[in-house]
Amino acid sequence: MSVFVVLKAGVLSTLQDQGRVGYAHLGLTQGGPADYVSYRIADLLLQNQNPSCQIEVSVGGLSLLALTDTVFCVTGAQMPLTINGQPKTLWQTHRIKKDDVIELGFAKSGLRCYLAVAGGFKLAKDFGSNSTVLREKVGGIAGAALQQGQFLPAASTYRPLLWALPEKYWPEFSNPLELGLIPGYQQHWFDESQWQQLCSTDYQVSALYDRMGYRLQGEPLLYQSRALLSEGISYGAVQLPPDGLPIVLLNDRQTLGGYPKPGVVLARHAAALAQRQQGQQIRFYKIEPEQLEAHQQEQHRYWAELSMDFRSLC
């Protein structure tokens, strides 16, 4: 068993795996990686056969001491990475030895990184998952963010080859983001002019954003409010509260809500939103049902091409 020691916990670092599915009836939300694309690429680079437990590092500042030899990688936001003070590249795997120190600086672009090790971190699960949800105090270590001095056990797994993701696949988190919005069953609560306004307004990420969701700011959408019983909320759902400013709900969202929802954002776009910071520009565009199959095929091609284009380092 490999072990790491947390030297510095950073601004906010939590353990996340694929998420907690099937417990919404108990009031437990899914958790999981806010940017599942970067998370999944980390597992692919490390050749982890199953979704692993990784460290999601928000903003930066994490430092780990390795107590064994292993292989790791960091994907996601543009955070300076060093091993023993020597700069290293994100989006590729690296070998480390006992007593090596891994450090992450603070994000220059994007918001969250994923530090993954070969075979994954190995801790007891809560309700079938290691994913930490701070509000509910479940997952991770005692349901809390990582703390200085903690020990993180990991699998002792050897990888004979190192792999890198070609730069053409590296995401750009500083650009304005367009969110594909799939209309939901409450879409008819909004007339054509309201849909046009929703899909033509340049919103910005407000100061209120976290793993639960992103509240946007911009021109309010005025609509006739209706009484609505609280109901289950899906990942990526867009809520419109009485102030008319959209809220895009993410991994740590509440399981029930009572605001009208014009639709739901494509999962990969919701993941990209989780990498945006205050003030960045957001715009919606409408996706009709007949367009969904094309979007799905595009994603299949993306993952197939990405996996085939990995570059062997040695």
Side-chain angles (χ1 to χ4, degrees):
M1 181 72 71
S2 302
V3 176
F4 292 81
V5 181
V6 179
L7 300 180
K8 295 179 183 178
V11 175
L12 177 63
S13 301
T14 60
L15 293 167
Q16 302 291 340
D17 58 16
Q18 75 274 19
R20 191 169 285 105
V21 179
Y23 294 95
H25 65 293
L26 300 178
L28 293 175
T29 195
Q30 73 181 71
D35 176 5
Y36 83 91
V37 176
S38 296
Y39 165 89
R40 182 178 175 186
I41 290 174
D43 272 337
L44 291 174
L45 285 169
L46 286 164
Q47 300 178 301
N48 289 335
Q49 297 302 306
N50 299 301
S52 71
C53 178
Q54 304 178 15
I55 303 176
E56 180 181 274
V57 184
S58 297
V59 183
L62 178 72
S63 179
L64 300 179
L65 170 67
L67 299 184
T68 188
D69 299 359
T70 189
V71 177
F72 83 104
C73 71
V74 177
T75 61
Q78 187 181 342
M79 292 183 192
L81 167 66
T82 63
I83 301 176
N84 301 327
Q86 298 301 309
K88 299 295 179 181
T89 304
L90 273 62
W91 304 102
Q92 71 177 55
T93 56
H94 301 278
R95 292 192 181 95
I96 50 174
K97 298 181 179 180
K98 183 179 183 296
D99 296 327
D100 281 351
V101 174
I102 303 168
E103 291 186 277
L104 281 168
F106 295 94
K108 298 178 179 179
S109 174
L111 185 63
R112 310 172 203 276
C113 265
Y114 294 87
L115 191 154
V117 298
F121 293 100
K122 300 296 181 183
L123 296 100
K125 297 183 178 183
D126 288 338
F127 298 95
S129 172
N130 291 126
S131 289
T132 309
V133 181
L134 301 178
R135 182 185 66 250
E136 296 167 357
K137 296 182 173 59
V138 298
I141 300 176
L146 295 184
Q147 302 294 321
Q148 183 178 358
Q150 287 178 328
F151 289 81
L152 301 177
S156 295
T157 305
Y158 177 70
R159 296 288 186 256
L161 296 177
L162 297 180
W163 297 95
L165 181 70
E167 286 191 35
K168 67 179 181 179
Y169 293 105
W170 295 9
E172 175 52 68
F173 298 129
S174 60
N175 293 339
L177 177 63
E178 293 189 343
L179 302 176
L181 183 62
I182 307 166
Y185 68 91
Q186 291 164 358
Q187 62 176 296
H188 301 298
W189 290 21
F190 307 92
D191 62 29
E192 185 61 31
S193 66
Q194 291 167 330
W195 268 100
Q196 288 180 357
Q197 180 184 340
L198 180 64
C199 294
S200 63
T201 298
D202 288 330
Y203 294 102
Q204 294 80 41
V205 176
S206 75
L208 302 175
Y209 67 96
D210 56 18
R211 284 178 46 85
M212 182 175 177
Y214 272 55
R215 184 184 291 269
L216 305 181
Q217 59 188 18
E219 182 182 355
L221 182 68
L222 301 179
Y223 67 96
Q224 182 64 45
S225 62
R226 305 189 188 189
L228 177 65
L229 293 176
S230 291
E231 59 186 4
I233 302 177
S234 67
Y235 173 71
V238 177
Q239 286 189 328
L240 277 171
D243 65 6
L245 293 175
I247 302 172
V248 184
L249 296 171
L250 301 179
N251 302 69
D252 292 359
R253 66 194 179 280
Q254 72 276 25
T255 55
L256 297 174
Y259 292 140
K261 298 175 289 298
V264 62
V265 168
L266 287 173
R268 70 178 184 275
H269 293 173
L273 177 62
Q275 290 284 12
R276 265 52 185 186
Q277 301 187 37
Q278 182 179 356
Q280 290 192 253
Q281 184 176 310
I282 307 296
R283 178 177 280 210
F284 294 101
Y285 68 92
K286 193 175 183 180
I287 295 179
E288 300 298 341
E290 58 269 20
Q291 298 174 303
L292 286 175
E293 184 176 355
H295 281 278
Q296 187 177 40
Q297 291 175 350
E298 178 187 349
Q299 278 302 284
H300 288 323
R301 287 193 297 269
Y302 168 82
W303 287 109
E305 292 173 3
L306 178 148
S307 299
M308 293 177 62
D309 279 357
F310 279 180
R311 180 167 56 90
S312 176
L313 298 175
C314 63

